[in-house]
């Protein structure tokens, strides 16, 4: 009988530790996503929300909400987005979070 109580106590501690780790991991993910939605400009300002659409065209570009390949092409001056990104099979099937390669002609 004594070993049964010790086993339950050990199991309870393991469950508590697992829940604690899960909560800490969730908090870290949430904090990381909040920090990932801001971009620091050269002047030191923090850009959030719709101003992210005005961000510069880097070589690796993450498609934002409401963007299309046409708007990205116009903004970045790269008419060959589909040719440089073989993972894009349908130019109309672009979604937020899609990572594409851009070679910008706008400096």
């Amino acid at each position: 009988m004594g070993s049964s109580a010790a086993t339950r106590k050990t199991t309870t501690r393991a469950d508590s530790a697992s829940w604690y780790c899960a909560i800490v991991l969730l908090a870290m993910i949430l904090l990381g996503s909040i920090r990932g939605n801001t971009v620091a400009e050269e002047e030191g300002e923090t850009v959030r929300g719709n101003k992210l659409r005005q961000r510069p065209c880097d070589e690796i570009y993450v498609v934002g909400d409401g963007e299309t390949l046409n708007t990205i092409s116009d903004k970045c001056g790269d008419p060959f987005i589909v040719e440089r990104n073989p993972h894009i099979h349908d130019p109309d099937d672009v979604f937020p979070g899609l990572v594409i390669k851009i070679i910008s002609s706008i400096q």
Side-chain angles (χ1 to χ4, degrees), residues 59 61 69 78 80-89 98-102:
E59 184 175 352
Y61 188 89
L69 289 182
D78 184 0
F80 303 107
I81 294 175
V82 175
E83 288 81 4
R84 290 193 182 99
N85 295 279
H87 61 281
I88 300 175
H89 300 290
L98 179 67
V99 178
I100 58 176
K101 181 177 181 180
I102 299 282

Side-chain angles (χ1 to χ4, degrees), residues 23-66:
I23 290 171
V24 169
L25 181 62
L26 180 63
M28 290 173 60
I29 291 170
L30 290 173
L31 287 175
S33 69
I34 291 170
R35 293 187 73 200
N37 287 334
T38 61
V39 176
E41 289 185 346
E42 292 179 30
E43 296 87 34
E45 284 183 38
T46 300
V47 179
R48 298 173 193 240
N50 288 336
K51 289 185 180 178
L52 281 174
R53 291 186 186 166
Q54 300 167 358
R55 67 190 185 278
C57 298
D58 296 325
E59 184 175 352
I60 303 298
Y61 188 89
V62 180
V63 177
D65 217 6

